[in-house]
Amino acid sequence: GALTSLSKPPQLGGRVWEGMEDKRFLGGFGSDFCSGDIDDPTRNYLDRGEQLAICVQRCVEELCHPDHQIERVIHVGDAPADILAAKNYAHHPSKPKNVSVGVIGVATGSYSVDELRDLCGERIPGVWEPIILNEGVGVGNMEAFIRACGL
């Protein structure tokens, strides 16, 4: 999903995130794009990157106002395909100019902090800005997660 400045406050599980009243979550989902073989590891992250492109396009369409623009896209994930999808989208031809792409990697699944961090590669300021949270940080800790998002 994506977090953007819009009129509705974000809600997860019916809970409003206090202090985030001017933000809204939008998403790109697996049902929006699939190349056909989700088990192909050489293709899976590219499909997820296309889902990010769809999500950002939705945000652009929702904004529809010259005073509002997307500055940063943040993808959250716990798997290599999530990291690689965001990294791929950072250089996607449909990405709006001057939009920074980040990923917040959380080691909640089968992959370690080091594995996720290694996939990120070098940070490119203003283009590719990955953050990998140490185990237990940001998971269930809304303040740490929001801080990692730069909000």
Side-chain angles (χ1 to χ4, degrees), residues 57-106:
Q57 184 57 40
R58 286 183 178 147
C59 290
V60 168
E61 290 168 2
E62 285 282 328
L63 289 172
C64 294
H65 194 281
D67 292 340
H68 301 286
Q69 53 186 297
I70 297 172
E71 295 175 0
R72 186 171 183 208
V73 172
I74 302 169
H75 185 58
V76 180
D78 65 355
D82 296 314
I83 304 300
L84 295 173
K87 189 174 183 179
N88 179 265
Y89 181 68
H91 305 286
H92 196 277
S94 73
K95 182 183 76 71
K97 291 182 181 186
N98 301 319
V99 169
S100 171
V101 177
V103 67
I104 297 181
V106 290

Side-chain angles (χ1 to χ4, degrees), residues 114-136:
D114 290 336
E115 287 174 294
L116 298 177
R117 190 172 285 126
D118 288 346
L119 290 169
C120 289
E122 292 296 317
R123 179 178 181 267
I124 304 168
V127 176
W128 170 238
E129 301 187 15
I131 296 172
I132 305 298
L133 298 176
N134 290 324
E135 288 186 51

